[in-house]
Amino acid sequence: MTVPQPPEPIPGARLLFSLDPSVSHLNHGSFGAVPIGVQRAQQRLRDEMEANPLRFFAEGLVDRIAHTRRHLARFIGADPEGTALVGNATTGVAVVLQSLGLRPGEEVLTTDHGYGAVAFSVARECRRTGAVSRTLPVPLNATDEEVVDIIRTGLRPGRTRLLIVDQITSPTARLFPTAAIVGVAREQGIPVLVDGAHAPGMLPITVASVGADFWVGNLHKWAYTPRGTAALVVAEPWRERIEPLVVSWEQDSGFPARVEWQATLDYTSWLAAPAGPFTLRSLGPDRVRAHNAALAAYGQRVVGDALGVAPSHLPEPGGPTMAMRLIPLPPGVATTIDAARALRSRIAERLAAEVSVAAWNGRGWLRLCGQVYNTPDEYDRLAVRLPTLLAQG
């Protein structure tokens, strides 16, 4: 089988970013990259804030946040009245968990593809309340139908209080059939929280069509907003039950303002956030998604070939717009969290390449992303140099 051809670059896209050109930034999915124009939009807001802090915070800021929220809700296809801006997806998950009122014996059900910080949040809330957490193993190569069947079988009506599933999994770069999963859970009366951390911008999503009781997603990854910009979308029956992690002056305003207003936070990331989707639209969302997915597929194959991984053993992401790809590392490499972190640092220091390395199900995995600022030669260089680094132990 031939290596897939890399896409044609989008003219001028690399110049939109202030990334260090001496480093191959192949891990957009972790922290994103903020375009220069978006950086400048936020800086103008910071200048406004510092010129007169009292005026900035006391005169109309709540309304400005609400205006921004409406823009971003439209971008992700969500009801603005059911959408709250939060700092990141993990924060949104914590808001939902502490608002549920879990009781002893009830359970929160997750899969083994979930994000680590979400698992920590679930464990903490279970310790506080006496509830329990349970994790369903889902094979990496499971079909969508198999994933739905595994979750259907794992649900326990009357005991399972919340199901948490990822729209795009972080450690395994897998697209889950969330709408079908939500439908199965609804048949059994079990609410669902969809962790869509990577979805906005990468996928042409409409949150309302997923139908989840709760949905959280970051916009500072694939939608080019300033970091610290995420959305928590809550179905109408749950909105009055949602409480913020910290109570402040908008508490009596109800959801979503009570969740958004956290006193003297730096709200400039939210106010500047619409400039991110504007940048995406100016480049052409379909064009960007096709480019990024094709580039990630190219990177997966050339690095996989260099590591001796047969194409049949390279996980398929489950969608043509997936801009993250996974490569299994040799047996015994990066099989623990600490070892994965150490390898990521070595790759960054010695190969001048930023990648994601994760330990999942007893094996190390390399995750590569494709973004408009990347070029095929960055993956080629990694493919040439990575085997030697791994052989050095």
Side-chain angles (χ1 to χ4, degrees):
M1 296 179 66
T2 60
V3 175
Q5 290 299 305
E8 290 294 323
I10 297 177
R14 177 63 180 83
L15 299 177
L16 297 176
F17 298 86
S18 56
L19 294 164
D20 182 351
S22 69
V23 176
S24 296
H25 301 273
L26 308 178
N27 188 20
H28 185 90
S30 284
F31 298 101
V34 184
I36 295 171
V38 181
Q39 295 179 39
R40 290 173 177 169
Q42 184 178 14
Q43 187 57 53
R44 287 193 294 271
L45 287 159
R46 284 176 170 155
D47 292 343
E48 177 191 346
M49 176 174 63
E50 297 306 334
N52 192 329
L54 184 59
R55 176 183 297 170
F56 182 85
F57 282 95
E59 297 183 10
L61 182 54
V62 172
D63 291 338
R64 294 174 74 177
I65 293 171
H67 181 70
T68 298
R69 178 208 311 141
R70 288 190 287 271
H71 275 282
L72 299 179
R74 283 195 293 271
F75 173 70
I76 60 175
D79 177 6
E81 299 306 312
T83 302
L85 300 181
V86 291
N88 52 39
T90 307
T91 300
V93 170
V95 169
V96 172
L97 285 171
Q98 63 90 36
S99 297
L100 281 179
L102 293 170
R103 295 187 294 267
E106 295 179 333
E107 71 174 19
V108 178
L109 184 63
T110 61
T111 77
D112 60 351
H113 294 252
Y115 186 54
V118 171
F120 291 149
S121 189
V122 170
R124 185 183 70 172
E125 197 62 25
C126 287
R127 287 195 302 269
R128 287 177 172 176
T129 62
V132 296
S133 62
R134 184 163 59 93
T135 303
L136 289 175
V138 177
L140 184 61
N141 60 352
T143 65
D144 285 355
E145 292 77 13
E146 289 169 341
V147 171
V148 173
D149 285 342
I150 288 169
I151 291 177
R152 178 188 290 111
T153 303
L155 295 171
R156 296 173 178 174
R159 184 173 181 183
T160 306
R161 185 69 187 286
L162 180 70
L163 168 65
I164 302 178
V165 293
D166 294 71
Q167 196 161 4
I168 300 172
T169 64
S170 180
T172 56
R174 170 68 195 268
L175 179 67
F176 271 4
T178 48
I181 292 169
V182 169
V184 164
R186 179 165 289 116
E187 292 172 358
Q188 302 191 37
I190 296 171
V192 181
L193 190 163
V194 171
D195 182 351
H198 290 274
M202 190 196 299
L203 301 180
I205 61 169
T206 301
V207 172
S209 68
V210 176
D213 301 86
F214 314 100
W215 181 96
V216 294
N218 294 322
L219 289 98
H220 53 243
K221 293 179 183 286
W222 303 93
Y224 301 148
T225 73
R227 293 177 194 87
T229 307
L232 165 63
V233 183
V234 178
E236 198 280 330
W238 291 96
R239 293 172 190 171
E240 289 307 309
R241 299 177 58 177
I242 298 297
E243 293 286 344
L245 298 177
V246 178
V247 173
S248 195
W249 286 101
E250 291 298 313
Q251 178 67 16
D252 291 340
S253 298
F255 184 87
R258 67 162 52 138
V259 170
E260 293 172 334
W261 187 256
Q262 298 291 305
T264 50
L265 290 183
D266 184 347
Y267 297 97
T268 60
S269 60
W270 295 357
L271 299 182
F278 176 83
T279 303
L280 179 61
R281 287 192 295 269
S282 70
L283 293 171
D286 292 340
R287 183 188 191 188
V288 168
R289 290 169 183 138
H291 171 276
N292 293 348
L295 196 55
Y298 173 81
Q300 181 191 43
R301 279 296 301 277
V302 296
V303 176
D305 285 352
L307 296 181
V309 181
S312 60
H313 292 162
L314 293 173
E316 288 293 333
T321 58
M322 291 290 293
M324 298 195 302
R325 293 287 183 122
L326 208 62
I327 302 161
L329 292 169
V333 175
T335 58
T336 67
I337 292 177
D338 288 344
R341 289 172 175 169
L343 178 57
R344 189 211 66 78
S345 295
R346 286 173 59 210
I347 293 172
E349 293 171 3
R350 300 186 187 182
L351 306 186
E354 296 292 353
V355 299
S356 173
V357 181
W360 185 80
N361 274 10
R363 184 159 192 174
W365 299 85
L366 180 73
R367 191 189 75 190
L368 297 177
C369 298
Q371 188 48 263
V372 296
Y373 51 73
N374 292 129
T375 57
D377 64 285
E378 294 179 302
Y379 305 91
D380 295 338
R381 289 197 300 270
L382 180 65
V384 169
R385 302 176 65 189
L386 182 59
T388 300
L389 183 143
L390 294 179
Q392 293 172 350

